[in-house]
Amino acid sequence: MKNPAGFTSMTEMTEIADMETIPGESNNQLALTTPEAHPIKRRKKKSMVWEYFTIENVSAGCRRAYCKRCKQSFAYSTGSKVAGTSHLKRHIAKGTCRALLRGQGQDNNQFITPYNPKMGGSEPPKRRYRSPSSPFIPFDQDRCRHEIARMIIMHEYPLHIVEHPGFIAFVQSLQPQFDKMSFNTVQGDCVATYLREKQSLMKFIEGIPGRFCLTLDMWSSNQTLGYVFITGHFVDSDWKLHRQVFNVVMEPYPDSHSALSHAIAACLSDWSLEGKLFSLTFNHPLSEAGLENLRPLLCVKNPLILNGQLLIRNCIARTMSSMAKDVLGAGQEIIKKIRDSVKYVKMSESHDDKFIQVKNQLQVPSEKSLFLDNQTRWNTTYQMLAAASELKEVFDCLDTYDPDYKLAPSMEDWKLAETLCSFLKPLFDAASILTTTTLPTIITFFYEVWKIHVDLGRSITSEDPFISNLAKSMQEKIDKYWKDCSLVLAMAVVMDPRFKMKLVEFSFTKIYSEDAPTYIKTVDDGIHELFLEYVALPLPLTPTYAEEVNGANNGKTNESHYGNLLSDHGLTDFDVYIMETNSQQMKSELDQYLEESLLPRVQEFDVVGWWKLNKMKYPTLSKMARDILSIPVSAAAPESIFDITDKQLDEYRSSLRPETVEALICAKDWLHFGSSDVSNALVKMEF
């Protein structure tokens, strides 16, 4: 039965609407004769099929649709009868067009997603039509696999996610053609991504003119295996500081004397850094035998570099975390009382409302908000105590508005909490510098450590036994750090033109009193010794220059004698002669720098940038400054600065192969910095 418009079904009406505005045809040519007196008004939009078909007249009253790809023809209209567009869609969407298959890699279902009852849902999905302006994007299985690998790496998803039914259903709803992936497939893709990124990073560091500093962070696992996270710190040719994870080395016996030395040797070999290692910073406790295994890595690979004194055995983040644990341990009872009070307020919306009501009535000026601490991160406990102390008046009066509240700390308790905060605040301020996105320089921590040292010295003289005893316990740890690291910290300060030796002299006088001249001389001797070693060390050819020299020698065989003369071994005696005759002149470069007046002390000062601007004035000293200023003071990652527990690899990653663990962790670090200026120079993704 026909409807009033003369069509036999709604399907025919829909197909007629699909034929509107055929490219190359006018609206008058497309007008269809109907039994009715009033013509059908056509909508002004195209069907997607006309991007792939053209209409041609083959005889009077007969037109056919021709595929633009394979030139196959299809019935279109004969007289007033129109064939519709369903068969044209099937030609494109169902893969019968061979030319389209060859050009799009089996991309034969871009338009209609078939309904799969196993995927769930109450009804089949609707037809999906692209607008005329939307581009046709062919499906690429390899690129999808590449992006899934990146996703897993960047967000630390388990590799088995590709086998989870929910993930499979989700992907199939987006693209039914996507082939399901196995654990082994995605593991291989992640490793391949890691290898591509590693190759890009290796090409970048080949051109690094200076030396490299390494930090070692030992993680444990539930299998008693150790994982050494090795991070490289260096300054590039544009004088920008970089921090990149180099390796994650599994050590089966993490407590052995050779665990760290084995991991470092593997890293140096992997990245071709032999002879370029400047300093080591680590947080894993080592015996003297373990330290002796590390010293040769600096002394042999880097001859004459202060006889291995650039081996920094203490990480400042771990030192401060250990001191914070002393504070939290000394005040654990009052901390529990305050934590319970905060918990009472925050665990109930009505209690929280009453607390805010009391605060407003008392007009307490504090803008801090209460929150429960994470007991594995000491900064959250400090912030909880600091916020609660500012709101102590509210806690004291809360029981008058809420009779159920019976946990209010006493005035003595609040006084003790404020004492704990006074010990924690300097540690918190110093450690927070390490969590900033910009890389902090070692100079900052000379002042921070010195300030903590001086403050604890004053606290020891307190008449309050609680304060005095706590200060003694904390000072033992900061004293050990100062003893091991003060030389390196002081040398970095000397490289700051705002301070030079003056801040060292001032600070040491405060700490050592009458013994200060001895320690000041140690720093002065050390900085001069290191400078002379930089004068004596031959400057290696950069890869670019070496290629140019080799190319010139290959093109001029008659001048091979001169090429040999200019090689690394040809003028060794001449290098010694230059060093001996110019040692006084080169030494005066350092003395000239130290004798010049200090720069104005501005807070925002780019020390590395200053040396970049003055590298022509101080050619040798600037190289030494570049390496010193890249020395890291912390081996912990920024997100782990405040941890008071040892880092442990989670159970899932511990179950993976060591090579896979390294690939996932390193690639995440390299991809994470892909959008920054630093990593743009390092990594270029291949599509």
Side-chain angles (χ1 to χ4, degrees):
M1 179 177 178
K2 293 187 177 182
N3 55 33
F7 295 100
T8 58
S9 67
M10 290 301 295
T11 301
E12 187 176 347
M13 294 177 66
T14 302
E15 293 175 347
I16 292 296
D18 275 344
M19 298 186 298
E20 302 148 356
T21 321
I22 302 172
E25 302 278 355
S26 67
N27 289 338
N28 292 334
Q29 290 174 312
L30 291 174
L32 302 175
T33 304
T34 68
E36 300 297 324
H38 301 287
I40 299 173
K41 291 185 178 180
R42 313 241 189 264
R43 292 172 295 168
K44 299 296 183 181
K45 72 174 188 177
K46 291 194 238 176
S47 169
M48 60 187 175
V49 299
W50 302 123
E51 296 182 24
Y52 301 92
F53 288 90
T54 58
I55 301 299
E56 297 182 12
N57 293 319
V58 295
S59 63
C62 179
R63 293 183 297 175
R64 294 184 68 81
Y66 284 85
C67 177
K68 295 180 181 179
R69 302 297 183 93
C70 67
K71 306 305 180 183
Q72 185 177 350
S73 67
F74 298 85
Y76 180 65
S77 67
T78 304
S80 61
K81 294 181 107 181
V82 180
T85 58
S86 295
H87 62 307
L88 305 182
K89 288 191 181 78
R90 286 194 294 272
H91 177 70
I92 299 298
K94 297 303 181 182
T96 57
C97 179
R98 296 181 179 179
L100 191 63
L101 283 176
R102 289 194 300 269
Q104 298 170 6
Q106 302 297 324
D107 181 25
N108 55 6
N109 201 351
Q110 292 292 319
F111 313 111
I112 301 177
T113 303
Y115 174 61
N116 184 355
K118 294 182 180 180
M119 291 166 53
S122 58
E123 60 183 15
K126 297 180 180 179
R127 292 172 181 262
R128 296 184 288 124
Y129 298 102
R130 297 183 297 108
S131 65
S133 60
S134 63
F136 183 85
I137 304 176
F139 170 63
D140 188 336
Q141 174 81 16
D142 292 337
R143 175 161 183 173
C144 288
R145 285 176 50 181
H146 174 74
E147 292 299 332
I148 287 177
R150 282 171 54 91
M151 176 191 74
I152 289 174
I153 290 170
M154 294 178 69
H155 303 290
E156 299 186 10
Y157 296 138
L159 297 176
H160 287 89
I161 190 175
V162 296
E163 297 177 343
H164 293 173
F167 179 82
I168 295 173
F170 172 68
V171 173
Q172 289 292 325
S173 70
L174 297 178
Q175 176 50 261
Q177 286 182 256
F178 183 77
D179 295 334
K180 290 190 293 185
M181 300 175 64
S182 66
F183 168 85
N184 289 334
T185 299
V186 75
Q187 179 177 240
D189 290 347
C190 289
V191 172
T193 299
Y194 156 77
L195 293 174
R196 282 195 301 269
E197 299 302 319
K198 182 176 182 179
Q199 184 179 15
S200 298
L201 181 56
M202 292 187 76
K203 289 180 180 178
F204 176 77
I205 67 174
E206 282 178 1
I208 298 302
R211 298 178 182 275
F212 292 78
C213 302
L214 298 182
T215 58
L216 313 176
D217 192 11
M218 177 73 80
W219 288 38
S220 61
S221 71
N222 57 4
Q223 300 172 333
T224 68
L225 300 174
Y227 291 83
V228 184
F229 285 58
I230 305 178
T231 304
H233 304 254
F234 53 92
V235 176
D236 67 13
S237 55
D238 289 329
W239 293 75
K240 293 180 180 179
L241 282 165
H242 292 253
R243 178 187 183 276
Q244 295 289 329
V245 176
F246 279 169
N247 294 94
V248 178
V249 182
M250 190 273 287
E251 289 294 336
Y253 305 102
D255 296 326
S256 67
H257 301 321
S258 60
L260 292 186
S261 58
H262 172 266
I264 297 169
C267 175
L268 296 179
S269 175
D270 192 18
W271 293 89
S272 301
L273 297 180
E274 292 91 345
K276 295 183 178 180
L277 182 59
F278 186 65
S279 75
L280 287 173
T281 305
F282 53 94
N283 63 359
H284 188 63
L286 277 184
S287 62
E288 268 311 313
L291 290 173
E292 290 304 318
N293 287 334
L294 288 179
R295 293 186 200 280
L297 294 174
L298 286 173
C299 297
V300 173
K301 303 299 182 184
N302 301 270
L304 305 177
I305 301 299
L306 286 182
N307 295 321
Q309 293 183 57
L310 292 172
L311 187 68
I312 304 172
R313 68 182 73 184
N314 284 316
C315 162
I316 186 61
R318 292 292 170 256
T319 299
M320 290 190 293
S321 292
S322 179
M323 295 167 67
K325 286 176 67 175
D326 289 345
V327 178
L328 300 181
Q332 58 183 346
E333 293 183 6
I334 178 56
I335 293 173
K336 184 180 184 305
K337 287 184 181 180
I338 294 177
R339 183 182 292 119
D340 290 342
S341 291
V342 174
K343 188 185 300 183
Y344 178 86
V345 173
K346 301 304 294 183
M347 291 299 102
S348 168
E349 187 174 349
S350 61
H351 295 169
D352 199 12
D353 291 341
K354 289 179 181 179
F355 188 87
I356 295 174
Q357 180 184 356
V358 176
K359 176 187 175 183
N360 293 335
Q361 290 184 0
L362 295 176
Q363 296 182 346
V364 177
S366 175
E367 297 181 357
K368 292 184 178 179
S369 301
L370 293 178
F371 67 93
L372 278 174
D373 62 331
N374 176 355
Q375 296 184 49
T376 65
R377 295 175 62 83
W378 64 266
N379 63 312
T380 63
T381 304
Y382 161 69
Q383 291 169 319
M384 180 188 72
L385 292 176
S389 296
E390 287 193 10
L391 298 168
K392 62 183 178 182
E393 297 176 37
V394 184
F395 282 107
D396 291 340
C397 299
L398 185 60
D399 57 352
T400 60
Y401 293 82
D402 186 353
D404 294 333
Y405 176 68
K406 304 181 185 301
L407 302 171
S410 64
M411 292 303 296
E412 287 298 320
D413 292 335
W414 288 120
K415 182 179 178 181
L416 182 57
E418 291 174 356
T419 299
L420 297 178
C421 287
S422 68
F423 279 105
L424 290 172
K425 187 178 186 305
L427 302 178
F428 174 79
D429 292 341
S432 295
I433 299 173
L434 295 169
T435 64
T436 56
T437 54
T438 57
L439 295 171
T441 63
I442 191 173
I443 297 171
T444 307
F445 285 89
F446 176 86
Y447 173 74
E448 295 295 335
V449 174
W450 169 76
K451 184 171 62 174
I452 293 172
H453 195 285
V454 172
D455 289 345
L456 290 175
R458 295 194 191 102
S459 298
I460 288 176
T461 62
S462 173
E463 296 180 358
D464 187 332
F466 177 83
I467 295 177
S468 178
N469 292 334
L470 179 56
K472 288 178 182 178
S473 173
M474 296 174 67
Q475 193 177 49
E476 289 178 3
K477 295 178 178 179
I478 201 68
D479 274 346
K480 185 179 186 305
Y481 181 85
W482 184 261
K483 178 182 178 181
D484 292 340
C485 305
S486 60
L487 174 61
V488 176
L489 295 174
M491 288 169 58
V493 169
V494 175
M495 293 295 99
D496 190 328
R498 297 170 298 170
F499 303 121
K500 301 183 182 179
M501 284 294 297
K502 297 300 181 183
L503 183 58
V504 175
E505 295 166 0
F506 171 80
S507 304
F508 280 20
T509 300
K510 295 287 185 181
I511 294 177
Y512 299 115
S513 301
E514 64 274 5
D515 295 331
T518 302
Y519 292 95
I520 294 171
K521 186 177 184 301
T522 300
V523 175
D524 186 69
D525 291 344
I527 202 75
H528 279 82
E529 177 187 353
L530 184 60
F531 176 73
L532 290 177
E533 291 168 359
Y534 268 79
V535 173
L537 289 173
L539 298 179
L541 293 176
T542 63
T544 303
Y545 182 75
E547 290 175 3
E548 293 176 356
V549 172
N550 291 335
N553 289 338
N554 291 335
K556 299 180 180 180
T557 56
N558 293 334
E559 299 179 5
S560 59
H561 170 72
Y562 298 101
N564 293 332
L565 182 64
L566 295 176
S567 66
D568 290 340
H569 307 290
L571 292 176
T572 304
D573 294 340
F574 178 71
D575 290 337
V576 174
Y577 170 76
I578 292 296
M579 181 187 69
E580 292 175 349
T581 56
N582 291 347
S583 61
Q584 186 63 33
Q585 178 183 350
M586 297 303 292
K587 181 181 179 181
S588 66
E589 184 181 314
L590 172 60
D591 292 334
Q592 178 186 353
Y593 164 76
L594 294 175
E595 291 170 3
E596 289 180 351
S597 58
L598 303 180
L599 293 184
R601 194 170 68 254
V602 293
Q603 187 172 2
E604 299 295 331
F605 180 72
D606 184 2
V607 180
V608 178
W610 186 89
W611 281 105
K612 177 183 178 181
L613 294 175
N614 289 272
K615 62 182 179 181
M616 300 302 294
K617 182 178 180 180
Y618 304 109
T620 301
L621 189 60
S622 63
K623 293 180 176 64
M624 186 176 80
R626 177 190 57 205
D627 293 339
I628 291 177
L629 295 177
S630 66
I631 296 176
V633 293
S634 172
E639 63 272 13
S640 305
I641 295 299
F642 297 104
D643 289 353
I644 56 178
T645 57
D646 293 334
K647 298 296 293 184
Q648 184 173 14
L649 209 64
D650 60 68
E651 184 176 357
Y652 177 77
R653 289 199 167 183
S654 298
S655 67
L656 301 175
R657 294 186 305 166
E659 297 83 2
T660 304
V661 173
E662 180 178 48
L664 293 173
I665 294 173
C666 292
K668 180 189 176 183
D669 180 75
W670 303 336
L671 292 175
H672 176 70
F673 291 98
S675 60
S676 67
D677 291 337
V678 171
S679 290
N680 282 340
L682 306 182
V683 178
K684 239 182 186 177
M685 293 302 302
E686 298 176 6
F687 289 98

